[in-house]
């Protein structure tokens, strides 16, 4: 089964001399791999969903079918949460930059992007209220205050915690896309 979020990073590693090593520039691409914290949480949710699906089959076989359906719905909710967790991140294409959050998605066309740059600032640790000093990739859009937009990537989010080299590569890739397309 092809996993597009894994092939994207390999394409960037394989073509160091090419700034944007992506064949179809109109397709949305995440220019980095999801981090181990994000993948681990999704894997645990999928493992839990498998146990709940097994329980749904047992409940449906031995008890009322409606109760088995409710438990099956709970398992589907776990699967949906795990898949959404894997989609969270920054995606780029020739049309713009997309910041996918857990509950919403914001897309900025390249025409609206003033700059994408890395700043040293306090960042949230794994999305929790606790802040630590780190780096953040910040998007500045036309007509918007810089404080109103949350950082796209940070050194302490679920993708880059304890992986500063991966953050640097991902931030550089997004900055290259921005430089190429916002002209």
């Amino acid at each position: 089964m092809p996993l597009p979020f894994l092939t994207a990073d390999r394409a960037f590693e394989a073509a160091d001399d090419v700034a944007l090593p992506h064949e179809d520039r109109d397709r949305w691409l995440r220019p980095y791999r999801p981090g181990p914290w994000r993948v681990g949480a999704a894997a645990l949710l999928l493992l839990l969903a498998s146990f709940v699906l097994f329980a749904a089959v047992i409940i449906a076989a031995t008890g009322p079918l409606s109760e088995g359906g409710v438990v099956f719905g709970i398992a589907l909710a776990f699967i949906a949460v795990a898949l959404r967790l894997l989609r969270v991140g920054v995606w780029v294409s020739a049309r713009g930059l997309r910041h996918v959050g857990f509950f919403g998605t914001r897309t900025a066309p390249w025409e609206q992007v003033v700059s994408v740059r890395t700043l040293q600032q306090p960042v949230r640790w794994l999305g929790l209220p606790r802040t630590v000093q780190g780096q953040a990739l910040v998007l500045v859009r036309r007509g918007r205050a810089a404080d109103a937009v949350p950082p796209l990537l940070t050194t302490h989010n679920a993708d880059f915690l304890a992986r500063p080299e991966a953050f640097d590569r991902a931030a550089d890739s997004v900055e290259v896309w921005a430089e190429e397309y916002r002209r």
Side-chain angles (χ1 to χ4, degrees), residues 36-61:
W37 288 89
R38 186 174 310 283
V39 173
L44 286 176
L45 278 171
L46 290 174
L47 180 67
L48 182 61
S50 70
F51 287 121
V52 175
L53 280 172
F54 185 66
V57 169
I58 292 173
I59 291 171

Side-chain angles (χ1 to χ4, degrees), residues 82-114:
L83 292 176
R84 185 62 183 183
L85 190 62
L86 289 174
R87 296 273 308 161
V88 170
V90 175
W91 297 74
V92 292
S93 79
R95 291 177 275 173
L97 186 136
R98 181 172 284 175
H99 186 213
V100 178
F102 189 77
F103 292 111
T105 300
R106 290 182 307 277
T107 302
W110 292 119
E111 297 83 33
Q112 292 181 359
V113 173
V114 174

Side-chain angles (χ1 to χ4, degrees), residues 96-182:
L97 186 136
R98 181 172 284 175
H99 186 213
V100 178
F102 189 77
F103 292 111
T105 300
R106 290 182 307 277
T107 302
W110 292 119
E111 297 83 33
Q112 292 181 359
V113 173
V114 174
S115 69
V116 177
R117 61 180 182 258
T118 305
L119 299 174
Q120 188 80 16
Q121 67 181 35
V123 296
R124 297 174 82 185
W125 184 76
L126 288 177
L128 299 171
R130 177 180 174 212
T131 60
V132 294
Q133 193 65 24
Q135 292 183 345
L137 184 69
V138 179
L139 168 70
V140 179
R141 295 174 68 172
R142 292 192 207 302
R144 299 264 174 106
D147 300 338
V149 180
L152 299 173
L153 305 171
T154 67
T155 53
H156 290 80
N157 69 4
D159 289 323
F160 304 110
L161 187 64
R163 298 175 51 216
E165 302 86 20
F167 173 80
D168 292 338
R169 264 196 329 263
D172 290 344
S173 297
V174 174
E175 288 172 357
V176 166
W177 277 85
E179 286 298 319
E180 178 74 21
Y181 285 106
R182 71 182 172 94

